[in-house]
Amino acid sequence: MKTPPAYASNSVDHALRLAQILQLDGAITVSAAAERLGVARSTAHRLLTALVYRDFAVQDEDRTYRVGPILALAERAQSDVGTLRAAALGPMRALVDRIDETVNLSIRTGRNVRFIASVECAQALRVGSREGMVFPAHQATGGLVALAALPDEELVTLYAADDRHDSAEELPDLTRLRRELRSVRLSGVVLNLERTERGVTAMGCAVRDRSGATVAALSISMPSVRYSPEQVKPLTAALTAAADAITRAL
C-alpha cells in the first residue's frame, strides 16, 4: 500500500483522481464526479473546469466530460513519445545552432496537435518554448504537416460535424483545408504566416519513420519581424536536413 503524502492538497488529489477516472471510464458527469470524490457538485464542476482549461478533459454538448488531448496522448505508448524526443533533441539543437531560431517537435492527437519538445534560440527577441502546449491541428504548422499525411476520406471523417465533442470547437472549411493540404503535399513544407499566433512566423516539415510514414512534425518559429521570403529556401534546406537526421536516429 502506498503511503499518502504528509501534506497532500485535497484539490490536487481530487483533480488527479478525476484524471484517472476519465482515463478508466472514458466519460463522467458533474454529479457522478461529485459522488465518486465525495465532494459538492460545485467543487466537482470547478475541478472539471480546471481539467478542461489545461486540456486534460473536454466537455461534450450533453455536458459530460471525457478525456482531453493531453490524456489522449498518454494512450499512445509513452515509449514512442520518449523515442521520438530522444531521436529529435540532438538534431533540433544542431538546427537551432545553425539558424538561431526556436525549433519545435509536435505530434497529432485527433483534431489537435501537441508540442512534445522545444529548443529555444539564444536571441533576446525569440519565440518561447511551446513544449506541452496543444493547438487545433488545422491552425498550427505541425498540425497541417500531420493532416497532409492523411487521405482525403480520413480527413473528412476526422472533421465530421456530428463528431464535435466541444460545442465551442470551430471546425475548418474542408474545401479550403484540402486545397492547403494539397499544396503542403506538393512542396513538402508548411509556411505559416501568423496563422497560429500574431507576430509569429513558422515553417514545418514531416518527420518520417523508416517506412516513410509521418510520425511527427518539425518546425521553426521566429518573430515575424525577422522573416523575409528570401529565407524560405535556406530554411527549408536546414529544416528537411534536420528532419532526415531525426529519421536516421529513430
Side-chain angles (χ1 to χ4, degrees):
M1 295 291 291
K2 294 182 179 179
T3 303
Y7 302 101
S9 164
N10 282 340
S11 59
V12 171
D13 187 53
H14 287 331
L16 293 174
R17 285 180 61 196
L18 271 181
Q20 290 177 327
I21 291 168
L22 284 168
Q23 279 202 302
L24 293 173
D25 294 0
I28 195 169
T29 63
V30 171
S31 57
E35 184 178 350
R36 294 279 289 274
L37 296 177
V39 299
R41 281 175 54 90
S42 58
T43 300
H45 182 262
R46 285 196 300 271
L47 290 167
L48 286 165
T49 300
L51 291 180
V52 169
Y53 177 70
R54 290 298 180 184
D55 294 311
F56 284 84
V58 294
Q59 187 180 25
D60 290 342
E61 290 183 2
D62 63 359
R63 297 187 177 277
T64 61
Y65 293 81
R66 63 177 182 84
V67 167
I70 287 181
L71 292 181
L73 175 63
E75 294 174 4
R76 183 172 177 170
Q78 190 61 38
S79 59
D80 291 349
V81 176
T83 298
L84 263 174
R85 280 179 53 87
L89 284 173
M92 288 173 69
R93 293 187 183 109
L95 180 57
V96 171
D97 289 342
R98 180 175 176 181
I99 64 172
D100 203 15
E101 298 290 357
T102 296
V103 174
N104 299 296
L105 186 73
S106 58
I107 61 174
R108 182 180 66 86
T109 304
R111 293 197 287 240
N112 294 290
V113 65
R114 177 170 169 76
F115 291 84
I116 62 171
S118 283
V119 178
E120 289 188 41
C121 67
Q123 300 203 61
L125 178 62
R126 63 182 182 271
V127 177
S129 171
R130 295 294 185 262
E131 189 168 315
M133 291 186 180
V134 177
F135 291 94
H138 69 280
Q139 294 177 0
T141 308
L144 292 170
V145 169
L147 293 174
L150 301 179
D152 271 1
E153 55 271 21
E154 190 171 340
L155 188 72
V156 171
T157 301
L158 181 65
Y159 285 106
D162 58 359
D163 191 36
R164 180 162 46 188
H165 299 287
D166 182 356
S167 57
E169 181 183 6
E170 293 185 11
L171 299 182
D173 180 318
L174 270 182
T175 300
R176 179 182 175 186
L177 182 60
R178 280 171 163 172
R179 186 166 58 247
E180 292 172 335
L181 297 181
R182 281 196 294 270
S183 176
V184 174
R185 293 179 192 119
L186 286 172
S187 67
V189 175
V190 170
L191 178 60
N192 180 342
L193 302 175
E194 303 188 343
R195 178 177 184 143
T196 310
E197 298 174 76
R198 182 178 297 177
V200 175
T201 292
M203 291 182 63
C205 73
V207 174
R208 296 183 170 87
D209 61 18
R210 291 186 179 272
S211 71
T214 297
V215 293
L218 184 68
S219 59
I220 300 166
S221 298
M222 68 183 74
S224 294
V225 294
R226 272 206 300 272
Y227 168 76
S228 68
E230 291 75 22
Q231 293 174 287
V232 171
K233 189 173 181 179
L235 286 177
T236 298
L239 186 65
T240 53
D244 290 343
I246 296 171
T247 297
R248 291 193 297 272
L250 283 172

